[in-house]
């Protein structure tokens, strides 16, 4: 029977429920109301706070219960019924992921009934799951496959469909939907509606006609999908995967007339090892350079270089906005929003298009790099840009959409030809029989191999903000940023809390503006005594929260600069990263990035010698100048709230 | 609906003075009110038979969130095939139903009531709204009901949209909230976490009318009718191959044979007790009693005459469940389809004993692992017909395939 106390975990939600979020009972309150209960699982006793699910309780005592629709990042669904267990006194089996402990009980996890139920469920799912493992992207990394093996499936008890039932939706540059393989676990729905609060995917229809679909069953490219790919990361089967460009990249590599360069982002480096059996957070930066050359790339560049470039451009833009507003008294949109996350950018274009003026006009590091390669680099090396193919290795699925945006051709050619995800890169290595962890390390190629610690931490939520602050605070104050924050680690903007806020009083300003910025800002005097207010948000649900606060004139509307990342955890949790994902995995990946930053020789973007050289030789009128605006800045387009 | 053959006995509900129950209930403290209901041993009339007083007690004790309140919901979805007794109550005794809701509100401390009315009953909405207006004018709904300062309660009507699964209380609540009508995980139960996450009591139409009757005539009177574990009188909606189908009232624990003789169905081959999710009983079992402890039902009695093909009866029921499953959980969404396929194979004479065995195993899994009562009870029809009429089914000649003769 139900106790009069609400469980600490909300286990009652139907998967697509969008109603008021119930604040869970804080665990200290659970303790105070006498809420520590001993449960016996398979004969083992474990004491847990009231409201803990049986699944969680079992984990604590070392009992593993298989699951399918359960995911650590998502609300409880309880629809697959794989995790059912026998509870003493209950007639039916209970879903352990959804059953909260409210009194002492005895539980058995592998009785005849439980094993039969589990097996039946897999048999039922296999009866309509169309897709041969051999030709599936998730071969060897599929939860249905793993469960079938674990449950000892040796024949299709309830039959097996041999023909395709649904067409594949390949309309989107980023996400491909193969609904033949969908097992209706609702993870993608919970991800898109509950976790990201975008709301593109939903269960339509009833009973065996239930299908996961979009508004009016439109192709994914025509609805408000922001391409974040979080659904891909959480899909247990191959029903969702990224739009793979590796065949195109192989073709370019195999073409002797093409000069193929690749830029690699920091987040794939901290995660790609997972595809080769390494622990999350094992850095593969230098082995990967060797592997990439082995695969056939002509040059291997470091996206962190252009991340530093982005910081210089965006930091300058912030100072210019502040100057225009406070000194020239011009109407300027505040707060300034970061623009390097294409998922976030599309999110704003769909849901808050009136705030487009707030987006920094600076391109993302990926796109800046592409433009620079097909102009500056081509010229420097006497190459015809039409023979250069730029590939970007990103943790991101939205980057595939970004590089195909029509305005991303300032070089006169498609600035970035292809975006590859971490998973696709691992796949290419495997096709070349490369075992990444065994590769010897090697450095990036010049001239774009030099980067700073600031560039590295871009991949974690808060990283862009920290990099920008390191530059802005140091140049404005005229003294090293280490004086304000120990070791230049701006810890308050770090971490995984959904929204972070920081106020930095500017007590001293440098009497002289450095040459780099002199053309843009005559003096820093106007900032003396001001308080810089910044915020960081990750995941579009938190972005929505901040945007609603800004609309309502709340505290975030008074911020000067806000970093938004479309994905939870920042880029290390991107839609192109290895599967599976969880809070622990993302934390490990972020740790690897901050560690790389901590030991970096140069840790501030404005001290990157390669970046400074670029301004010297190419963008000669400095950051924010006419030349850089032509290649390194972009514009945005308002999109519809439901379609388009 | 009640056969008018001159020998009609009025329903007990017709003898209850409207308002008498509420007046008596409001004289009692909340605790005493629930205790009186407990003394009647009233069990839910929707089919599940949960002790009503226990449900109210849990809701009364449950905590409500800051600024929110508790709810009383009347489940008028009446979706079980063969059930049409709530229809009669709503048309002829809506006042008693609303009275029951008000008593429930008093017991648990609810401020709002909702009548969840099945879409197919839209034609009675105006009538019911008129009844509510009358009650508000008479001070039976609104603020300070019965002169009790602080007892504020009003009722709104919300329509369903044609889904059987929304008769399940948590799916009903989801539907009320504007979401897909898909059941929730339980625990927590609606008495603790219900409509808008607040404590909610969901009761059947007949249960609420019975509450009004109990408080009008006393728990002891009610308890004296029926059996020890199934007290009181029950409405039965009888349909099918019988001379006098309609809505009947009998005390609980009447035998099936007795009922059949009253409705003119003594030559029945089988009786489906409890609708599609109930059991199909062959003639050999007609000595069983209609009560929670024996052949339980929410009121649906379907009579099958000697000419009925029981496999087709089973097929009809499984087609119903395939259509009505919400589709959320694997065992029900896919299991019902497999059972229907199995029946079609039996029709064609293509079902091996071995595969039929597998299907029986699947039935057990569905009964144990489905997320809600629909999937848990849909195999009942399949199982009871297979076991009760095995010879007839296994011995029937296969239906010719299309084109074949």
């Amino acid at each position: 029977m139900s106790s009069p106390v609400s469980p600490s975990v909300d286990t009652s939600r139907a998967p697509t429920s969008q109603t008021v979020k119930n604040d869970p009972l804080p665990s200290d309150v659970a303790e105070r109301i006498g809420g520590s209960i001993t449960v016996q699982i398979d004969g083992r006793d474990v004491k847990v706070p009231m409201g803990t699910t049986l699944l969680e309780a079992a984990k604590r005592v070392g009992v593993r219960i298989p699951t399918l629709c359960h995911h650590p990042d998502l609300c409880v669904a309880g629809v697959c019924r794989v995790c059912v267990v026998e509870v003493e006194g209950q007639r039916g089996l209970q879903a352990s992921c959804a059953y909260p402990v409210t009194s002492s009980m005895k539980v058995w996890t592998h009785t005849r009934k439980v094993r039969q139920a589990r097996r039946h469920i897999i048999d039922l799912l296999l009866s309509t799951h169309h897709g041969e493992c051999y030709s599936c992207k998730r071969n060897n990394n599929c939860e249905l496959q793993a469960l079938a093996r674990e449950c000892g499936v040796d024949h299709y008890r309830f039959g097996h469909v041999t023909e395709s039932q649904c067409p594949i939706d390949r309309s989107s540059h980023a996400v491909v939907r193969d609904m033949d393989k969908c097992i209706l676990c609702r993870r993608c729905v919970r991800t898109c509606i509950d976790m990201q609060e975008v709301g593109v995917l939903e269960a339509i229809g009833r009973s065996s006609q239930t299908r996961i679909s979009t508004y009016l069953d439109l192709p994914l490219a025509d609805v408000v999908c922001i391409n974040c790919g979080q659904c891909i990361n959480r899909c247990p089967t191959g029903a969702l995967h990224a739009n793979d460009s590796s065949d195109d990249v192989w073709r370019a590599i195999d073409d002797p007339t093409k000069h193929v360069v690749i830029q690699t982002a920091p987040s794939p480096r901290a995660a790609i090892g997972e595809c080769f059996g390494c622990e999350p957070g094992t850095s593969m930066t230098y082995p990967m350079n060797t592997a990439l050359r082995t695969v056939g790339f002509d040059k291997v560049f470091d996206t962190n270089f252009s991340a530093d470039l982005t910081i210089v451009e965006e930091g300058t833009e912030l100072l210019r906005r502040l100057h225009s507003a406070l000194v020239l008294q011009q109407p300027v949109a505040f707060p300034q929003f970061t623009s390097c996350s294409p998922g976030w950018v599309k999110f704003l274009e769909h849901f808050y298009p009136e705030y487009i003026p707030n987006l920094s006009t600076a391109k993302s590091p990926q796109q800046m790099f592409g433009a620079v390669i097909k102009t500056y680099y081509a010229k420097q090396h006497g190459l015809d840009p039409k023979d250069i193919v730029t590939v970007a290795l990103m943790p991101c699925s939205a980057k595939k959409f970004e590089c195909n945006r029509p305005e991303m051709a300032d070089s006169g050619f498609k600035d970035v030809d292809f975006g590859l995800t971490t998973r696709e890169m691992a796949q290419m290595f495997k096709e070349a029989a490369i075992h990444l962890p065994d590769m010897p390390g090697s450095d990036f190629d010049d001239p774009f191999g030099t980067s700073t610690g600031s560039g590295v931490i871009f991949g974690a939520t808060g990283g862009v903000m920290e990099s920008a602050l390191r530059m802005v605070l140091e140049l404005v104050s005229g003294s090293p940023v280490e004086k304000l924050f120990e070791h230049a680690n701006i810890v308050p903007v770090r971490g995984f809390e959904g929204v972070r806020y920081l106020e930095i009083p500017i007590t001293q300003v440098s009497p002289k503006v450095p040459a780099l910025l002199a053309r843009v800002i005559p003096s820093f005097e106007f900032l003396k005594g001001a308080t810089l207010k910044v915020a960081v948000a990750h995941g579009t649900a938190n972005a929505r929260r901040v945007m609603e606060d800004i609309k309502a004139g709340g505290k975030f509307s008074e911020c000067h600069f806000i970093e938004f990342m479309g994905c939870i955890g920042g880029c290390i949790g991107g839609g192109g990263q290895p599967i599976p994902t969880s809070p622990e995995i993302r934390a490990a990946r972020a740790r690897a990035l901050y560690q790389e930053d901590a030991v970096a020789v140069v840790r501030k973007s404005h001290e990157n010698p390669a970046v400074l050289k670029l301004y010297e030789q190419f963008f000669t009128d400095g950051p924010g100048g006419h030349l850089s605006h032509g290649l390194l800045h972009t514009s945005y387009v308002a999109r519809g709230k439901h379609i388009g | 609906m009640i056969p008018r053959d001159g020998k009609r006995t009025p329903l007990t509900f017709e003898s209850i003075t409207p308002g008498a129950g509420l007046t008596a209930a409001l004289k009692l403290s909340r605790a005493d009110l629930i205790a009186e209901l407990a003394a009647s041993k009233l069990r839910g009339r929707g089919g599940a038979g949960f002790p009503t007083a226990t449900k109210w007690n849990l809701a009364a004790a449950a905590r409500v969130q800051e600024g929110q309140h508790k709810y009383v919901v009347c489940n008028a979805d009446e979706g079980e095939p063969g059930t049409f007794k709530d229809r009669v109550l709503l048309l002829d005794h809506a006042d008693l139903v609303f009275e029951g809701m008000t008593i429930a509100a008093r017991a648990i401390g609810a401020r709002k009531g909702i009548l969840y009315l099945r879409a197919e009953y839209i034609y009675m909405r105006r009538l019911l709204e008129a009844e509510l207006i009358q009650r508000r004018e008479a001070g039976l709904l609104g603020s300070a009901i019965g002169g009790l300062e602080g007892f504020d309660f009003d009722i709104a009507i919300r329509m369903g949209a044609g889904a059987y699964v929304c008769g399940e209380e948590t799916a009903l609540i989801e539907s009320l909230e504007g979401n897909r009508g898909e059941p929730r995980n339980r625990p927590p139960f609606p008495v603790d976490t219900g409509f808008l996450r607040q404590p909610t009591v969901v009761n059947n139409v007949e249960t609420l009318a019975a509450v009004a009757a109990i408080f009008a005539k006393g728990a002891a009177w009610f308890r004296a009718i029926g059996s020890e574990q199934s007290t009181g009188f029950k409405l039965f909606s009888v349909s099918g191959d019988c001379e006098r189908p309609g809505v009947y009232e009998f005390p609980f624990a009447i035998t099936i044979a007795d009922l059949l003789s009253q409705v003119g169905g003594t030559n029945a081959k089988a009786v489906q007790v409890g609708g599609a999710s109930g059991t199909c009983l062959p003639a050999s079992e007609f000595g069983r009693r209609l009560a929670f402890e024996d052949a339980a039902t929410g009121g649906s009695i379907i009579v099958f005459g000697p000419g009925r093909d029981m496999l087709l009866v089973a097929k009809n029921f499984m087609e119903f469940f395939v259509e009505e499953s919400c589709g959320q959980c694997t065992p029900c969404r896919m299991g019902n389809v497999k059972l229907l396929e199995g029946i079609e194979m039996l029709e064609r004479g293509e079902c091996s004993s071995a595969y039929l065995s597998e299907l029986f195993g699947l039935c057990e899994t569905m009964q144990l692992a489905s997320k809600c009562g629909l999937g848990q009870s849909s195999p009942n029809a399949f199982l009871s017909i297979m076991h009760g009429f095995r010879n007839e089914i296994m011995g029937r000649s296969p239906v010719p395939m299309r084109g074949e003769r």
Side-chain angles (χ1 to χ4, degrees):
Chain A
M1 280 303 98
S2 88
S3 79
V5 174
S6 292
S8 59
V9 165
D10 186 355
T11 59
S12 70
R13 300 172 69 175
T16 59
S17 175
Q18 300 174 62
T19 50
V20 172
K21 289 192 191 324
N22 198 18
D23 289 325
L25 211 54
S27 54
D28 62 318
V29 178
E31 281 294 326
R32 269 192 278 126
I33 52 170
S36 246
I37 299 173
T38 303
V39 195
Q40 192 184 91
I41 302 183
D42 290 344
R44 301 184 217 180
D45 281 338
V46 59
K47 200 158 173 214
V48 292
M50 183 188 290
T52 308
T53 60
L54 287 178
L55 182 67
E56 179 61 39
K59 208 180 289 181
R60 292 189 195 198
V61 80
V63 171
R64 192 184 150 271
I65 299 175
T67 62
L68 192 48
C69 72
H70 173 78
H71 194 283
D73 292 325
L74 303 173
C75 70
V76 171
V79 297
C80 69
R81 316 308 286 174
V82 166
C83 70
V84 289
V85 293
E86 258 192 71
V87 177
E88 186 180 49
Q90 302 274 355
R91 180 198 70 86
L93 302 174
Q94 304 298 326
S96 52
C97 68
Y99 197 92
V101 171
T102 49
S103 60
S104 190
M105 57 182 72
K106 288 207 182 95
V107 177
W108 295 273
T109 69
H110 47 267
T111 61
R112 177 195 70 83
K113 291 177 185 171
V114 169
R115 280 183 287 114
Q116 174 181 271
R118 223 168 263 157
R119 178 63 201 275
H120 277 155
I121 287 159
I122 302 300
D123 286 330
L124 287 171
L125 291 174
L126 290 174
S127 74
T128 55
H129 181 77
H130 172 66
E132 299 309 313
C133 296
Y134 296 115
S135 55
C136 178
K137 283 221 179 314
R138 296 290 293 270
N139 189 9
N140 270 1
N141 187 17
C142 167
E143 292 183 51
L144 182 63
Q145 198 183 41
L147 267 172
R149 180 166 170 174
E150 199 181 306
C151 294
V153 170
D154 55 3
H155 70 286
Y156 295 119
R157 179 176 277 138
F158 298 120
H160 186 65
V161 60
T162 50
E163 275 172 28
S164 170
Q165 320 280 311
C166 341
I168 298 182
D169 178 1
R170 275 188 227 279
S171 62
S172 165
H173 286 293
V175 180
V176 174
R177 297 177 61 238
D178 184 358
M179 292 290 101
D180 276 331
K181 299 180 180 151
C182 177
I183 55 168
L184 291 170
C185 68
R186 309 286 183 99
R187 278 191 188 171
C188 57
V189 174
R190 286 138 70 203
T191 302
C192 199
I193 295 183
D194 287 345
M195 195 183 95
Q196 288 289 74
E197 291 188 22
V198 174
V200 166
L201 297 171
E202 168 69 291
I204 316 275
R206 191 172 73 203
S207 186
S208 49
Q209 305 302 310
T210 311
R211 63 192 196 286
I212 307 297
S213 193
T214 57
Y215 180 61
L216 300 180
D217 286 309
L218 289 170
L220 208 52
D222 293 343
V223 291
V224 300
C225 174
I226 62 172
N227 306 309
C228 67
Q230 295 304 292
C231 54
I232 301 175
N233 284 0
R234 289 164 185 79
C235 180
T237 67
L240 290 168
H241 55 91
N243 201 332
D244 193 344
S245 342
S246 55
D247 281 345
D248 292 313
V249 176
W250 277 125
R251 211 168 295 130
I253 289 174
D254 294 334
D255 184 343
T257 67
K258 297 290 178 194
H259 181 77
V260 189
V261 311
I262 185 165
Q263 49 159 318
T264 75
S267 297
R269 300 181 213 149
I272 196 170
E274 292 160 42
C275 298
F276 295 91
C278 300
E279 281 300 307
T282 312
S283 176
M284 288 282 141
T285 308
Y286 300 104
M288 186 144 76
N289 292 342
T290 315
L292 288 168
R293 289 191 193 97
T294 311
V295 152
F297 288 98
D298 295 305
K299 282 282 155 80
V300 180
F301 295 137
D302 187 351
T303 306
N304 294 344
F305 160 83
S306 55
D308 287 327
L309 186 60
T310 304
I311 288 297
V312 174
E313 288 293 326
E314 203 163 336
T316 306
E317 182 186 354
L318 175 63
L319 289 168
R320 167 180 275 175
R321 283 196 199 217
L322 287 167
H323 184 257
S324 297
L326 298 175
V327 175
L328 304 178
Q329 306 279 312
Q330 285 168 357
V332 176
F334 273 107
Q336 175 175 312
F337 301 155
T338 57
S339 56
C340 47
S341 166
W344 148 247
V345 166
K346 193 162 193 272
F347 179 84
L348 183 137
E349 288 175 327
H350 279 295
F351 298 109
Y352 299 97
E354 65 273 27
Y355 284 91
I356 283 178
N358 295 60
L359 275 173
S360 162
T361 54
K363 287 181 183 175
S364 68
Q366 164 180 295
Q367 292 305 130
M368 282 196 184
F369 217 148
V372 165
I373 286 173
K374 293 201 180 181
T375 52
Y376 174 71
Y377 171 77
K379 205 175 294 180
Q380 276 229 323
H381 289 73
L383 292 164
D384 188 342
K386 79 165 177 19
D387 294 325
I388 302 178
V389 175
T390 44
V391 180
L393 170 59
M394 293 288 149
C396 180
S397 45
K399 292 280 176 199
K400 292 175 188 277
F401 174 82
E402 189 186 35
C403 68
N404 281 293
R405 287 179 73 121
E407 63 272 15
M408 295 298 184
D410 288 326
S411 64
F413 303 85
K414 192 173 171 196
D415 292 342
V416 175
D417 293 289
F418 305 111
L420 279 179
T421 64
T422 314
R423 299 185 296 262
E424 285 155 17
M425 195 74 254
Q427 180 53 41
M428 288 180 74
F429 289 153
K430 289 178 185 177
E431 280 176 55
I434 293 172
H435 186 65
L436 188 60
D438 292 343
M439 297 299 278
S442 61
D443 232 323
F444 290 97
D445 286 314
D446 279 327
F448 307 122
T450 322
S451 70
T452 69
S454 279
V456 164
I457 59 177
F458 255 58
T461 166
V464 176
M465 179 56 70
E466 185 165 346
S467 307
L469 287 176
R470 284 183 191 174
M471 169 182 142
V472 168
L473 293 177
E474 187 162 292
L475 293 184
V476 167
S477 68
S479 66
V481 70
E482 284 82 350
K483 288 229 163 79
L484 290 165
F485 295 98
E486 207 178 317
H487 298 308
N489 292 342
I490 307 180
V491 175
V493 299
R494 296 188 183 189
F496 290 98
E497 208 185 309
V499 180
R500 299 170 316 267
Y501 174 84
L502 179 61
E503 286 182 14
I504 305 161
I506 300 179
T507 48
Q508 72 174 74
V509 298
S510 167
K512 188 166 176 303
V513 175
L516 194 64
L517 303 174
R519 254 180 243 108
V520 175
I521 301 159
S523 144
F524 288 136
E525 267 314 295
F526 72 99
L527 287 171
K528 183 156 185 180
T531 303
L532 191 63
K533 297 179 183 172
V534 301
V536 175
H538 61 123
T540 43
N542 290 313
R544 211 182 260 286
R545 232 161 292 322
V546 172
M547 291 309 297
E548 290 301 319
D549 181 276
I550 291 173
K551 273 172 86 162
K555 96 172 173 190
F556 293 100
S557 65
E558 288 170 10
C559 283
H560 303 104
F561 189 40
I562 303 183
E563 176 204 295
F564 286 100
M565 287 296 147
C567 299
I568 304 256
C571 310
I572 42 104
Q577 290 284 67
I579 296 166
T581 182
S582 76
E584 293 77 28
I585 291 173
R586 293 191 291 276
R589 293 173 187 166
R591 261 196 303 277
L593 297 182
Y594 282 110
Q595 265 159 28
E596 223 177 291
D597 164 50
V599 303
V601 172
V602 185
R603 298 175 69 227
K604 298 162 204 166
S605 302
H606 58 285
E607 292 177 357
N608 185 330
V611 167
L612 295 171
K613 190 155 161 219
L614 189 63
Y615 281 109
E616 236 175 86
Q617 294 186 346
F618 196 60
F619 298 112
T620 47
D621 53 357
H626 184 71
L627 291 167
S628 68
H629 259 280
L631 281 180
L632 306 179
H633 288 253
T634 186
S635 59
Y636 306 101
V637 53
R639 300 180 197 263
K641 269 200 163 49
H642 302 289
I643 56 174
Chain B
M1 299 182 220
I2 313 296
R4 305 203 185 282
D5 57 356
K7 287 187 282 177
R8 177 182 176 278
T9 4
L11 296 179
T12 303
F13 285 123
E14 294 171 56
S15 71
I16 307 291
T17 311
L22 182 59
T23 311
L26 291 185
K27 291 203 179 92
L28 303 170
S29 72
R30 286 223 180 95
D32 286 342
L33 201 168
I34 298 180
E36 176 74 1
L37 189 65
S40 73
K41 291 176 80 172
L42 172 68
R43 292 171 71 161
R45 292 330 200 207
F50 191 84
T52 312
T54 311
K55 189 181 277 191
W56 287 16
N57 212 6
L58 289 165
R63 236 182 15 179
V64 83
Q65 270 181 337
E66 188 79 39
Q68 304 278 2
H69 36 259
K70 302 184 186 178
Y71 294 88
V72 172
V73 172
C74 173
N75 185 346
D77 195 62
E78 189 158 63
E80 193 65 61
T83 318
F84 41 91
K85 42 107 186 160
D86 291 338
R87 186 173 71 193
V88 170
L89 283 175
L90 288 168
L91 284 173
D92 293 348
H93 301 287
D95 50 1
L96 291 181
V97 177
F98 293 138
E99 199 173 320
M101 286 177 79
T102 314
I103 297 173
R106 171 70 185 151
I108 74 169
R111 299 237 334 252
K112 290 216 174 121
I114 303 172
L115 176 73
Y116 185 83
L117 189 62
R118 142 190 193 100
E120 292 87 336
Y121 287 173
I122 185 86
Y123 65 88
M124 36 171 112
R125 182 159 183 179
R126 198 170 297 173
L127 202 138
L128 295 167
E129 293 280 15
E131 176 69 39
L132 287 175
I133 291 172
Q134 264 189 18
R135 293 184 81 78
R136 283 179 205 124
E137 283 168 2
L140 296 167
L141 285 174
S143 2
I145 297 171
L148 265 177
E149 214 36 61
F151 179 33
D152 307 330
F153 179 65
D154 207 337
I155 298 172
I157 300 179
R158 294 281 177 266
M159 301 306 299
Y164 166 75
V165 71
C166 287
E168 199 279 334
E169 61 178 1
T170 59
L172 191 159
I173 291 173
E174 283 290 303
S175 164
L176 279 176
E177 291 185 8
N179 299 326
R180 287 169 62 86
E182 292 175 336
R184 297 176 171 175
N185 292 305
R186 281 144 296 139
F189 294 88
V191 287
D192 183 64
T193 308
F195 183 58
L196 301 180
R197 309 286 142 196
Q198 307 313 311
T200 304
V201 146
V202 180
N203 279 136
N204 177 262
V205 169
E206 191 185 347
T207 310
L208 291 164
V211 163
I214 286 168
F215 282 93
K217 292 181 100 157
W221 156 81
F222 191 82
R223 189 181 174 147
I225 308 165
S227 74
E228 178 63 39
Q229 290 180 53
S230 310
T231 59
F233 55 92
K234 180 81 186 77
L235 292 184
F236 294 91
S237 41
V238 184
S239 61
D241 300 328
C242 58
E243 287 165 19
R244 296 177 293 280
V247 175
Y248 287 80
E249 179 193 306
F250 296 118
F252 260 124
I254 185 176
T255 63
I256 297 175
D258 276 343
L259 183 145
L260 285 174
S261 70
Q262 300 256 0
V263 307
T266 43
N267 67 340
K269 173 186 183 184
V271 173
Q272 183 77 11
V273 176
S277 58
T279 23
C280 195
L281 296 172
S284 54
E285 309 250 351
F286 287 176
R288 288 179 58 179
R289 301 173 168 282
L290 293 168
F292 295 111
E293 62 270 24
D294 198 342
T297 173
S300 168
I301 304 284
I302 305 176
V303 183
F304 295 112
R308 295 290 173 188
D309 179 342
M310 295 315 290
L311 187 64
L312 291 184
V313 171
K315 184 171 171 183
N316 178 278
F317 286 141
M318 292 324 297
E319 281 173 348
F320 174 76
F321 286 118
V322 166
E323 171 80 26
E324 298 293 337
S325 165
C326 79
Q328 209 189 165
C329 76
T330 318
C332 174
R333 178 182 73 242
M334 311 190 81
N336 282 311
V337 172
K338 289 297 159 194
L339 295 184
L340 179 58
E341 269 175 23
I343 290 175
E344 286 164 351
M345 287 163 71
L346 283 167
E347 267 190 302
R348 298 193 299 268
E350 282 173 12
C351 188
S352 67
S353 289
Y355 188 63
L356 192 56
S357 253
E358 297 277 27
L359 291 181
F360 288 146
L362 178 62
C363 285
E364 185 187 17
T365 290
M366 288 170 72
Q367 288 172 321
L368 295 174
S370 293
K371 188 165 174 177
C372 85
L374 194 159
Q376 286 160 14
S377 52
S378 65
N380 293 348
F382 185 87
L383 286 169
S384 58
I385 291 178
M386 288 300 148
H387 290 317
F389 303 90
R390 191 176 189 118
N391 290 337
E392 175 196 320
I393 289 168
M394 300 309 273
R396 77 204 288 282
S397 22
V399 170
M401 304 270 279
R402 206 197 305 271
E404 205 183 275
R405 197 64 201 96

